[in-house]
């Protein structure tokens, strides 16, 4: 995990501590036993979608295209408006993604709206491997992760942690989190051992299951007490932050969208004339437009294959 733009030395020290590998053993080999319960209990939010005018895409989408040696013109850009928010999310979907656009839109729409509030853009790209990362609140899904709800929750767990959603900011490098970790004898799974940033994200998946599935996490693991202080801390933090992991309500805040940039330098893109630049600014004055954030989880996530 890389964090760019660190304002002072104390934060830099905290990030270094949060990036150290953890030595406590994993409670489970993976979190696959949570997937179906999450899907059954986090329902798809109704939505509409419309294709953005040809020739334009968010700056982050174009950066991803260039970094992955993909043609920017092969991305479709969509505005997706869920019924629980007055403002749409702008998503970039590569035409060779292994699963349909609706899978991505529906899975993101299963996330509680107050979790989605902290995500700027959603991007899907083809890859022989299944992995994902979040950069400055924009999530990039590679391969089949685009409709893996546990991966969506993991990545938005980073957004809540590193995007200042919790009273402890960021949670992963706070004394509150460190104390919870020290009181437990395990971490959720082997990936949680990567560092405290990934541990918080995996505990976000556990906490979401615990709050939204009947019987909670103890209902699927009789040894749940070995990590109870960690996932309970996420549960408490999300409650103090405004029930972030609980479905219901309307969006309260949004991050500003990236500036739209031309897909290419030509007047035509994939046979389509470039249209007038759309306005993707946040227009609902009732919503809080959050301050910019800067973080990058690629270093930890790259090469980690999800099932």
């Amino acid at each position: 995990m890389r964090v760019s733009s660190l304002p002072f030395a104390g934060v830099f020290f905290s990030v270094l501590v949060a990036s150290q590998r953890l030595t406590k053993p994993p409670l489970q080999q993976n979190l696959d036993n949570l997937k179906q319960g999450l899907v059954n209990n986090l329902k798809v939010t109704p939505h509409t979608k419309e294709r953005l005018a040809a020739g334009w895409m968010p700056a982050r989408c174009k950066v991803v295209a260039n970094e992955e040696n993909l043609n920017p013109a092969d991305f479709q850009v969509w505005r997706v408006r869920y019924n629980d928010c007055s403002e749409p999310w702008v998503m970039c979907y590569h035409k060779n993604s292994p699963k349909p656009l609706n899978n991505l839109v529906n899975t993101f729409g299963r996330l509680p709206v107050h979790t989605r509030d902290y995500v700027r853009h959603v991007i899907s790209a083809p890859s022989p491997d299944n992995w994902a990362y979040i950069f400055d609140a924009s999530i990039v899904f590679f391969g089949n992760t685009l409709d893996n709800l546990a991966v969506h929750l993991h990545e938005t767990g980073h957004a809540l942690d590193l995007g200042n959603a919790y009273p402890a900011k960021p949670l992963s490098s706070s004394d509150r989190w460190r104390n919870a970790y020290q009181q437990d004898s395990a971490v959720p799974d082997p990936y949680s051992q990567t560092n405290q940033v990934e541990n918080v994200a995996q505990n976000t998946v556990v906490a979401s299951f615990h709050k939204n599935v009947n019987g909670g996490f103890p209902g699927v693991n009789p040894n749940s007490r070995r990590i109870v202080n960690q996932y309970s801390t996420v549960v408490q933090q999300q409650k103090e932050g405004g029930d972030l992991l609980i479905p219901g309500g309307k969006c309260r805040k949004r991050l500003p969208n990236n500036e739209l940039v031309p897909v290419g330098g030509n007047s035509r893109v994939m046979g389509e004339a470039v249209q007038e630049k759309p306005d993707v600014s946040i227009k609902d004055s009732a919503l809080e437009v959050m301050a910019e954030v800067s973080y990058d989880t690629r270093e930890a996530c790259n090469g980690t294959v999800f099932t």
Side-chain angles (χ1 to χ4, degrees), residues 147-162:
D147 63 356
N148 185 323
L149 181 55
V151 177
H152 279 246
L153 284 165
H154 173 98
E155 297 304 329
T156 52
H158 287 314
L160 298 176
D161 173 25
L162 303 174

Side-chain angles (χ1 to χ4, degrees), residues 40-266:
N40 291 346
N41 288 274
L42 295 177
K43 305 301 183 182
V44 176
T45 305
H47 58 270
T48 59
K49 60 182 185 293
E50 63 174 346
R51 186 91 175 261
L52 203 69
W56 301 95
M57 68 194 314
R60 171 48 44 185
C61 298
K62 189 165 185 179
V63 169
V64 170
N66 291 333
E67 288 178 344
E68 300 299 324
N69 296 314
L70 298 169
N71 184 350
D74 288 339
F75 282 87
Q76 303 168 7
V77 183
W78 292 83
R79 275 194 270 224
V80 181
R81 190 183 305 273
Y82 295 97
N83 287 6
D84 52 15
C85 191
S86 58
E87 293 288 341
W89 275 264
V90 179
M91 301 186 182
C92 301
Y93 174 82
H94 193 277
K95 68 176 187 178
N96 292 331
S97 295
K99 295 184 178 181
L101 169 66
N102 281 343
N103 288 36
L104 174 67
V105 172
N106 288 342
T107 305
F108 187 68
R110 290 183 184 274
L111 300 175
V113 64
H114 301 314
T115 298
R116 276 182 273 129
D117 280 349
Y118 286 86
V119 177
R120 191 194 313 274
H121 297 300
V122 180
I123 305 166
S124 171
S127 172
D129 296 319
N130 301 319
W131 65 288
Y133 70 83
I134 186 167
F135 180 100
D136 294 355
S138 291
I139 304 175
V140 186
F141 295 103
F142 292 94
N144 291 321
T145 61
L146 66 87
D147 63 356
N148 185 323
L149 181 55
V151 177
H152 279 246
L153 284 165
H154 173 98
E155 297 304 329
T156 52
H158 287 314
L160 298 176
D161 173 25
L162 303 174
N164 299 323
Y166 297 135
K169 307 178 191 305
L171 178 59
S172 54
S173 58
S174 68
D175 288 340
R176 188 164 183 176
W177 180 256
R178 202 152 35 242
N179 291 338
Y181 172 73
Q182 289 171 351
Q183 292 177 62
D184 286 340
S185 61
V187 293
D189 69 344
Y191 191 42
S192 306
Q193 296 174 304
T194 306
N195 55 47
Q196 290 292 14
V197 173
E198 299 303 328
N199 189 26
V200 165
Q202 288 296 76
N203 270 285
T204 304
V205 180
V206 176
S208 182
F209 184 94
H210 185 69
K211 289 299 295 180
N212 292 296
V213 179
N214 188 36
F217 187 59
V220 295
N221 193 308
N223 297 311
S224 61
R225 292 205 61 80
R226 296 187 64 194
I227 63 168
V228 66
N229 291 288
Q230 291 165 89
Y231 74 75
S232 294
T233 296
V234 175
V235 167
Q236 185 60 33
Q237 287 284 295
Q238 69 84 30
K239 180 179 180 180
E240 293 176 19
D243 285 330
L244 302 172
L245 297 177
I246 309 302
K250 299 287 186 179
C251 61
R252 298 182 289 231
K253 55 183 71 176
R254 291 292 301 276
L255 285 154
N257 290 312
N258 281 168
E259 180 183 359
L260 295 183
V261 297
V263 169
N266 301 322

